Amino acid sequence: MEAKRSRGKLFTRPEKPREISITDRNVAHLKNLSRLRLCSTAQLAALDGGSSQKVERALLGLWENGYIERPESQVTSRRKEKGSRPLIYGLSRKGASYLRRHGFEVTRPLLDGIDKHKAAGWRFIEHSVGISAFFVQLELAIRGRQDLGILERAEIFADAPKPVRRVRLDARIPINGSPRRCTVIPDGIFGLRFEAEGEESYFMYEKDRGEMPVTRFRNQYGTYVAKKLHIYLEASRQRKHVDELGIPNFRVLVETTTPERVDQMIKALEELTGGRGSNIFLFIDEATLAESDPLNAAWTSGKGERIRIVD
């Protein structure tokens, strides 16, 4: 088991890796890392649904043979917490190449950025794993449901006017009194298909760690929450999601740290909209989401209403 290996060896592959065969379980791990970018062993085990020890052994074999990576920046955090954190994994070029050879889609940003992932800072890793946590929760919540399905990336962008490699929306918004083109890149995007109604809904997801100012007055050119909300609002008004992504609708899910910060975001949104708010946005704090799951949790809309995303 990985827990018995010394910290020094956790990030140095052995000269003679153990022999492995690429099983369906291994392929599933590679596909999950391709979709989610960076995951902890606990998250991969939850998706696998089997024994956590078997998952750890499978991941160890894949890592020793170069199909997956262990970002080295996590060593600092593991030392501080005496190795209590689960290991974090990302897909390597070899793993991505294997998936592509066998007909599975791997997005271009992943292939281009994998070397950066190996040297990624801990803050980037922690943020990425936090994003993965949401999507793991979502997938587990939807398993076994006959009335609801998650749309694959190819289905989401089937009607896009050109191939979508990275989701981004841009719009001109006033900065210091002058219109300025700004861009927002959501932390994730997914679609839900409601089988009985034959309808689809699309969601962009933002993971807020509470470090970004909600409003910023000294440096309006920096990144802050109200600015991102404004870009989403204006992009929606201009129907950029239709013209550039080919999706007919979208809402923005914002997961943040505390109920107080949710209130601050809604207040900032009201200031942007002349007090009207907007149902494009749904907000939730981490503790509220942890008590339920993304489908059934009570989100707060930009108009202050409590709803579920499946309502």
Side-chain angles (χ1 to χ4, degrees):
M1 293 176 55
E2 292 173 345
K4 294 181 180 179
R5 295 166 64 90
S6 70
R7 286 198 298 265
K9 293 183 179 180
L10 281 176
F11 301 94
T12 303
R13 290 191 177 92
E15 293 182 4
K16 295 182 179 180
R18 65 194 64 201
E19 294 184 4
I20 63 168
S21 58
I22 304 298
T23 63
D24 289 343
R25 168 174 274 172
N26 287 338
V27 171
H29 292 321
L30 296 179
K31 290 172 66 177
N32 286 333
L33 287 171
S34 173
R35 290 187 299 109
L36 298 173
R37 202 176 195 185
L38 292 172
C39 289
S40 69
T41 51
Q43 290 168 347
L44 292 168
L47 291 173
D48 179 85
S51 162
S52 59
Q53 292 183 349
K54 288 183 179 180
V55 171
E56 288 178 359
R57 285 196 293 269
L59 294 173
L60 178 59
L62 288 170
W63 173 74
E64 287 188 355
N65 285 272
Y67 290 95
I68 58 179
E69 296 286 358
R70 290 174 174 172
E72 295 182 9
S73 295
Q74 64 187 297
V75 69
T76 302
S77 176
R78 290 179 62 84
R79 283 173 177 165
K80 288 181 180 179
E81 301 187 26
K82 298 182 179 179
S84 60
R85 279 182 178 267
L87 281 167
I88 307 302
Y89 286 97
L91 189 67
S92 71
R93 287 183 178 274
K94 181 177 179 180
S97 177
Y98 178 90
L99 290 178
R100 290 172 65 88
R101 289 199 312 272
H102 290 81
F104 298 111
E105 180 186 12
V106 180
T107 59
R108 180 62 59 181
L110 176 65
L111 287 175
D112 290 347
I114 193 63
D115 291 332
K116 296 179 182 178
H117 295 176
K118 288 190 291 185
W122 176 247
R123 292 165 68 86
F124 167 81
I125 293 171
E126 193 170 54
H127 183 64
S128 295
V129 174
I131 296 167
S132 295
F134 173 84
F135 284 95
V136 170
Q137 282 183 290
L138 177 66
E139 184 169 330
L140 295 177
I142 211 167
R143 282 186 181 178
R145 293 189 59 160
Q146 302 301 315
D147 62 324
L148 201 59
I150 297 180
L151 297 171
E152 299 290 339
R153 182 182 178 91
E155 296 175 290
I156 294 175
F157 300 124
D159 297 324
K162 60 182 180 180
V164 178
R165 293 185 174 181
R166 191 174 191 184
V167 178
R168 65 176 68 218
L169 294 173
D170 64 77
R172 287 188 176 276
I173 62 172
I175 301 291
N176 287 342
S178 301
R180 182 180 179 89
R181 182 172 296 280
C182 301
T183 300
V184 65
I185 301 174
D187 288 324
I189 184 170
F190 67 97
L192 294 178
R193 177 186 291 117
F194 297 83
E195 302 294 352
E197 298 85 356
E199 298 178 351
E200 297 176 353
S201 295
Y202 303 88
F203 301 88
M204 298 184 190
Y205 169 75
E206 292 281 353
K207 173 69 173 176
D208 174 69
R209 298 176 60 196
E211 299 174 342
M212 181 188 301
V214 176
T215 57
R216 184 191 297 267
F217 299 101
R218 293 184 178 179
N219 178 10
Q220 295 293 322
Y221 297 104
T223 302
Y224 50 99
V225 173
K227 181 178 179 180
K228 297 180 77 171
L229 300 181
H230 202 167
I231 299 168
Y232 276 120
L233 280 170
E234 187 61 19
S236 175
R237 188 188 69 81
Q238 296 179 20
R239 294 177 61 80
K240 292 291 187 75
H241 55 291
V242 177
D243 297 337
E244 298 176 10
L245 303 179
I247 58 176
N249 60 74
F250 78 94
R251 301 182 87 173
V252 182
L253 306 180
V254 182
E255 179 187 354
T256 188
T257 50
T258 65
E260 292 75 19
R261 192 163 169 87
V262 168
D263 293 339
Q264 293 171 11
M265 291 181 179
I266 293 175
K267 182 178 179 180
L269 180 60
E270 290 174 345
E271 292 177 356
L272 288 172
T273 58
R276 298 185 306 274
S278 172
N279 282 329
I280 291 177
F281 301 96
L282 299 177
F283 303 92
I284 199 166
D285 64 274
E286 294 172 351
T288 299
L289 182 57
E291 292 174 354
S292 183
D293 62 66
L295 298 179
N296 295 300
W299 296 75
T300 302
S301 78
K303 289 183 176 288
E305 301 169 343
R306 302 298 291 273
I307 65 172
R308 302 182 306 160
I309 68 173
V310 292
D311 291 337

